[in-house]
Amino acid sequence: MTVVSGAERLLVVDDEPTVRELLAATLRFAGFRVSTAATGAEAVASAADSPPDLVLLDVMLPDLDGFEVVRRLREHHPVPVLFLTARDRQADKITGLSLGADDYVTKPFDLEELIARIRAILRRTTGRRTGLLTSGPLVLDPDGHQVTRDGEPVRLSPTEFRLLRYLMENAGQVVSRAQILDRVWQYDFGGDTSIVDTYISYLRRKLDAGHPKLIHTVHGTGYVLREPRR
């Protein structure tokens, strides 16, 4: 597998656990690496320890307000910031943007629109797109949600796309059914894992028909995606 560029790391800062967890789960599902903080001090410390590619920042925090967090972050880290807050006064928006924030989104918000705004900021600030994945004849474009084999498009459902992406990210490595469930379906599952087998069969029909096999079963363990032997 070749990764043209890695998954961007986002820092979500919000003192409301429900909002924080929803955002983190949604953004991980969209392919980002996500860390979280519940206070301004935690956000500053986290960014100092491991600078993120973008910060999603609430204005109303229990210690420092979001505006002060931006000031402190910008002392050492020119990190992009998207304010995500219930404070919708024009004066607050002007303050946030004048501090150099890249966008200002008010609650409630649409998750799909938020992800689109995040990707737009990352394209502007990093000068790159979320990386293409390649494995032998396969090319997967996370941004365009497209897959090709030998240059020919392959139409996949959203779940099939996530499953293939996970297999390509781990090409050459055996992944268990439990790992696939946790990453692709985003929950722990202690029962019947046949859903994985079902979707693997869907992928095989679409990817391998008339071609050398790419997805292999490792009996008693799981699955592995390997490039065809030459």
Side-chain angles (χ1 to χ4, degrees):
M1 176 192 73
T2 301
V3 182
V4 178
S5 62
E8 290 88 347
R9 178 176 173 267
L10 309 183
L11 173 60
V12 174
V13 187
D14 199 300
D15 63 329
E16 297 182 39
T18 302
V19 174
R20 192 169 63 246
E21 292 164 11
L22 171 64
L23 282 172
T26 300
L27 295 171
R28 290 187 183 113
F29 193 67
F32 298 104
R33 293 177 295 150
V34 181
S35 55
T36 63
T39 67
E42 286 181 17
V44 173
S46 176
D49 180 60
S50 181
D53 294 298
L54 184 144
V55 178
L56 282 82
L57 180 61
D58 191 7
V59 173
M60 296 180 289
L61 297 170
D63 51 353
L64 312 172
D65 69 24
F67 302 136
E68 179 61 24
V69 172
V70 171
R71 293 186 184 98
R72 297 192 184 190
L73 287 174
R74 292 286 167 79
E75 289 177 1
H76 306 288
H77 310 288
V79 59
V81 173
L82 185 154
F83 276 115
L84 191 61
T85 177
R87 288 173 61 166
D88 59 358
R89 294 188 309 162
Q90 189 69 16
D92 290 325
K93 294 180 181 180
I94 292 171
T95 299
L97 295 172
S98 67
L99 287 170
D102 296 88
D103 205 345
Y104 195 107
V105 177
T106 55
K107 301 175 182 176
F109 50 85
D110 179 83
L111 288 169
E112 290 187 5
E113 180 185 350
L114 177 64
I115 291 170
R117 286 174 179 253
I118 289 169
R119 288 180 169 149
I121 293 170
L122 290 170
R123 284 195 292 270
R124 292 198 305 267
T125 57
T126 65
R128 60 183 172 87
R129 301 165 67 233
T130 303
L132 301 178
L133 298 178
T134 65
S135 183
L138 286 179
V139 177
L140 183 146
D141 177 1
D143 277 351
H145 203 85
Q146 296 176 339
V147 175
T148 60
R149 176 164 183 162
D150 295 320
E152 295 296 323
V154 180
R155 296 176 62 87
L156 300 179
S157 71
T159 301
E160 292 166 350
F161 185 87
R162 293 193 300 271
L163 174 56
L164 179 61
R165 178 173 180 170
Y166 182 61
L167 293 173
M168 291 181 69
E169 288 172 341
N170 295 275
Q173 303 178 39
V174 179
V175 289
S176 69
R177 291 172 176 82
Q179 288 174 310
I180 293 172
L181 279 169
D182 182 61
R183 181 61 183 269
V184 177
W185 278 267
Q186 298 287 305
Y187 59 84
D188 293 325
F189 189 84
D192 185 6
T193 59
S194 63
I195 189 172
V196 174
D197 303 323
T198 299
Y199 272 85
I200 288 288
S201 70
Y202 294 161
L203 274 184
R204 282 174 167 160
R205 290 174 197 166
K206 295 183 177 182
L207 295 174
D208 292 343
H211 298 285
K213 186 164 66 172
L214 295 171
I215 302 172
H216 302 266
T217 302
V218 180
H219 294 288
T221 305
Y223 297 96
V224 60
L225 186 143
R226 296 194 185 101
E227 297 183 18
R229 293 182 179 179
R230 298 180 180 178

